[in-house]
Amino acid sequence: MEFSTIRLPIRKLPDHFDRSRISVVLDEIERALMDDGGVYVRAYADSMTITIEVPTNQLIDAASCLKDLGLI
């Protein structure tokens, strides 16, 4: 299975995400993608970027869900 990567800058997260609790933000993103989009992803972060690995065949579903969350 092929994967695509989506990267989001932490500094541009919408205000309803708590930047000081990135592990909670990652859990929220993973849960929303699974519950709302039916997409299983792996999300992780470094000091500046959230990285989301998405199965390429579900990239459109993931993008739609991330848009609904205000992340893209």
Side-chain angles (χ1 to χ4, degrees):
M1 177 179 291
E2 293 187 28
F3 287 86
S4 296
T5 302
I6 300 170
R7 290 189 176 88
L8 307 169
I10 291 172
R11 64 182 167 77
K12 292 200 174 195
L13 287 174
D15 291 336
H16 62 276
F17 289 104
D18 184 356
R19 291 177 191 89
S20 67
R21 300 177 62 200
I22 291 300
S23 62
V24 173
V25 172
L26 295 175
D27 289 342
E28 289 176 10
I29 291 170
E30 288 178 348
R31 189 175 317 112
L33 285 165
M34 179 53 97
D35 293 346
D36 299 339
V39 181
Y40 176 76
V41 301
R42 181 172 171 255
Y44 53 93
D46 60 24
S47 61
M48 299 180 66
T49 308
I50 292 174
T51 301
I52 304 169
E53 293 181 353
V54 180
T56 301
N57 63 345
Q58 293 183 307
L59 188 57
I60 293 173
D61 295 330
S64 176
C65 186
L66 292 172
K67 182 179 179 193
D68 291 344
L69 291 171
L71 293 171
I72 58 173

